[in-house]
Amino acid sequence: MISQESITLKPIGYVKTKALGDEVRNKSVISEIHVRPEFSDGLDGVNDYSHLLILFWLHEIPELKRMTLKVHPRGRADLPITGVFAVRTNLRPNPIGLTLVELTGVEGNVLTVRGLDAFDGTPVLDIKPYDYWDIAKEIKVPKWWNRLEEEKKQV
Amino acid sequence: MISQESITLKPIGYVKTKALGDEVRNKSVISEIHVRPEFSDGLDGVNDYSHLLILFWLHEIPELKRMTLKVHPRGRADLPITGVFAVRTNLRPNPIGLTLVELTGVEGNVLTVRGLDAFDGTPVLDIKPYDYWDIAKEIKVPKWWNRLEEEKKQV
């Protein structure tokens, strides 16, 4: 076992979006990712993909909240309290966000994407192309997850 | 734009596997993730999912290699040179690995998973549950990607 206790990262770019607050959770929201000019060459070939996985730093989560280990999913007290590694909450020991987005445009060092649930100014850590190995055919999720989806359909 | 220049993470656990070298790329390989005891509570409910996304730190990539911005996919000179954000190479500015795995068991603070392409001792940064929002229905990947898949079928 390696005892590497501290890992340091640098933003490779930043999110730019007009969406405010909860608007970013709308799956149709369009955002831009402004990649730092020194990393622009890393984007070569990215437009051969329809989808990307964006890793970003949840910079608004204070250090203290990184100690949270259990939450109610989506903050709803009627859903069972659950470990943070079993929910996509932003309260986690290493607050890294991960979202599948649709790539709608590339121009120089700016990507335009649909469905990125990150606030304006969020530091981006990595951009990974989405391929068939990221797709699981048959999956199982908790009952509360399916229940939330059903509720949305009824709205 | 936020000028947060440096981000610090801590491993939440480590990979334990008997697979050596390229053996870890075998999609059927079984590995364990030993979550640090202080984060065990975060695993509550994880076994309600069939699949997880594992974020890990590619600790064997030296600082200098983080400057690489273009590579031949899978190190093959016959494939077009491509930006690191358009390939799942481990040479990237922030060497974070991301892999979809099948969860085959949970016992205390130890997860058993299938398909994790990480070496023994790799620091784990985050464990995220895989759900339907991580599945894109129709996707596009580069020609070289499909060509590599075709080659595998012919072996």
Side-chain angles (χ1 to χ4, degrees), chain B residues 27-72:
Chain B
K27 288 278 158 199
S28 65
V29 80
I30 298 286
S31 315
E32 287 176 356
I33 297 173
H34 289 238
V35 172
R36 286 182 165 182
E38 65 264 38
F39 298 120
S40 286
D41 281 352
L43 294 174
D44 194 19
V46 88
N47 51 8
D48 287 335
Y49 296 86
S50 58
H51 291 76
L52 302 173
L53 291 164
I54 310 300
L55 276 69
F56 49 99
W57 182 241
L58 298 157
H59 63 295
E60 298 195 349
I61 304 302
E63 188 76 25
L64 201 69
K65 291 233 173 157
R66 295 167 68 169
M67 312 287 278
T68 308
L69 289 177
K70 291 195 181 198
V71 294
H72 290 286

Side-chain angles (χ1 to χ4, degrees), chain A residues 1-12 14-16 27 34-36 38-53 55 57 59 66 69-70 74 81-88 92-98 100 120-136 138-142 144-146 149 152, chain B residues 1-12 14-16 27 34-36 38-53 55 57 59 66 69-70 74 81-88 92-98 100 120-136 138-142 144-146 149 152:
Chain A
M1 295 271 160
I2 279 113
S3 62
Q4 185 173 2
E5 286 305 303
S6 184
I7 290 160
T8 307
L9 305 176
K10 279 186 179 188
I12 59 142
Y14 295 90
V15 174
K16 208 173 153 92
K27 289 278 158 199
H34 289 237
V35 173
R36 286 181 165 184
E38 65 265 39
F39 297 120
S40 286
D41 281 351
L43 295 174
D44 194 19
V46 87
N47 51 8
D48 286 335
Y49 296 85
S50 59
H51 292 76
L52 303 173
L53 291 163
L55 276 69
W57 181 242
H59 64 293
R66 295 167 67 168
L69 289 176
K70 291 196 183 200
R74 324 250 172 110
I81 193 151
T82 305
V84 293
F85 301 130
V87 195
R88 296 289 275 266
R92 35 207 328 116
N94 291 315
I96 300 173
L98 168 64
L100 168 61
D120 189 52
T122 297
V124 174
L125 299 177
D126 202 3
I127 295 165
K128 291 185 190 289
Y130 185 86
D131 64 44
Y132 293 100
W133 293 350
D134 298 308
I135 301 177
E138 283 181 46
I139 71 166
K140 192 182 83 174
V141 297
W144 61 257
W145 202 98
N146 289 318
E149 285 302 289
K152 265 194 271 177
Chain B
M1 294 268 159
I2 280 112
S3 62
Q4 185 173 4
E5 286 305 303
S6 182
I7 290 160
T8 307
L9 305 176
K10 279 186 179 189
I12 58 143
Y14 296 90
V15 174
K16 208 174 152 93
K27 288 278 158 199
H34 289 238
V35 172
R36 286 182 165 182
E38 65 264 38
F39 298 120
S40 286
D41 281 352
L43 294 174
D44 194 19
V46 88
N47 51 8
D48 287 335
Y49 296 86
S50 58
H51 291 76
L52 302 173
L53 291 164
L55 276 69
W57 182 241
H59 63 295
R66 295 167 68 169
L69 289 177
K70 291 195 181 198
R74 326 250 172 110
I81 194 150
T82 305
V84 293
F85 301 130
V87 195
R88 295 291 273 266
R92 35 207 327 118
N94 290 315
I96 299 174
L98 167 64
L100 168 62
D120 189 52
T122 297
V124 174
L125 299 177
D126 201 2
I127 295 166
K128 292 185 189 288
Y130 185 87
D131 64 42
Y132 294 100
W133 293 350
D134 297 308
I135 301 178
E138 282 181 49
I139 71 166
K140 191 182 84 173
V141 295
W144 61 258
W145 203 97
N146 289 318
E149 284 304 289
K152 266 195 270 179

